[in-house]
Amino acid sequence: IMPSLVGSEMCIRDRDMTKLSPNKRPTNMVFQSYAIFPHLSVTQNVGFGLRKRSDLNAEAKARLVAEALDMVGLGGFGGRAANALSGGQRQLIGLARVVVQNPAIVLMDEPTSSLDQQTEQCVLKFLKHWLEKRTLVVATHKRSLLELADRVVVIQSGSVVMDGPRDSLTVKVASEASK
């Protein structure tokens, strides 16, 4: 799903976004710093963005939250206090929060920085499948996240130094890094 510009319109899923407030646009963000609400439970954190959705009843919202928690490996953690979880688990809350919204475009800032290697591999496998019908923009220093990309843009000191298909750039980035 690529945003398109038609005249002065910015369209996502064939819908003009220019007149929509940011909270109504089909975009979501996974922050490196978790962005959790420490006074809320895990379930409340994940479901936070669903509170104002009038098209879903409470049962549907609860089901979406439970499914998202299962998808990211936090099934059974819903009743826990979010601030009592590890850094990696908090990062998974941020990911689950995006999953329940089902956005067209996902922005991620170092989304696996606090995950151990085993959890990261599980998350990458999940994301590869889940992102199939979405656009992902990710800021990262981790090569493992490049597997999610079709196209890679390398920015150094504020300038684009490489831009192209993942497979051709992965080799080029590796050879540049070894210099």
Side-chain angles (χ1 to χ4, degrees), residues 42-44 46-47 50 58-79 96-97 99-100:
V42 170
T43 294
Q44 291 168 323
V46 173
L50 298 175
E59 184 178 299
K61 291 175 185 178
R63 187 180 68 254
L64 284 172
V65 169
E67 288 171 359
L69 287 171
D70 284 342
M71 284 184 210
V72 301
L74 289 178
F77 284 74
R97 189 184 293 142
V99 169
V100 299

Side-chain angles (χ1 to χ4, degrees), residues 36-155:
I36 65 160
F37 303 105
H39 62 289
L40 299 179
S41 71
V42 170
T43 294
Q44 291 168 323
N45 263 278
V46 173
F48 189 82
L50 298 175
R51 293 174 311 129
K52 300 233 179 207
R53 294 264 314 260
S54 59
D55 60 322
L56 298 172
N57 63 30
E59 184 178 299
K61 291 175 185 178
R63 187 180 68 254
L64 284 172
V65 169
E67 288 171 359
L69 287 171
D70 284 342
M71 284 184 210
V72 301
L74 289 178
F77 284 74
R80 294 189 188 183
N83 64 349
L85 300 182
S86 71
Q89 291 166 326
R90 290 178 191 190
Q91 205 155 38
L92 293 174
I93 290 172
L95 181 58
R97 189 184 293 142
V98 168
V99 169
V100 299
Q101 294 293 333
N102 192 28
I105 299 174
V106 181
L107 309 170
M108 295 183 169
D109 177 19
E110 297 288 1
T112 62
S113 63
S114 295
L115 302 179
D116 62 70
Q117 189 173 7
Q118 182 180 354
T119 304
E120 180 179 4
Q121 290 307 310
C122 291
V123 166
L124 291 174
K125 183 178 177 182
F126 160 73
L127 284 174
K128 193 165 192 145
H129 170 73
W130 186 76
L131 289 166
E132 282 179 359
K133 296 181 180 172
R134 292 166 181 83
T135 297
L136 170 67
V137 177
V138 63
T140 187
H141 292 88
K142 288 186 157 189
R143 289 207 181 136
S144 57
L145 286 167
L146 293 178
E147 291 302 313
L148 300 174
D150 297 320
R151 178 178 170 206
V152 176
V153 177
V154 178
I155 299 172

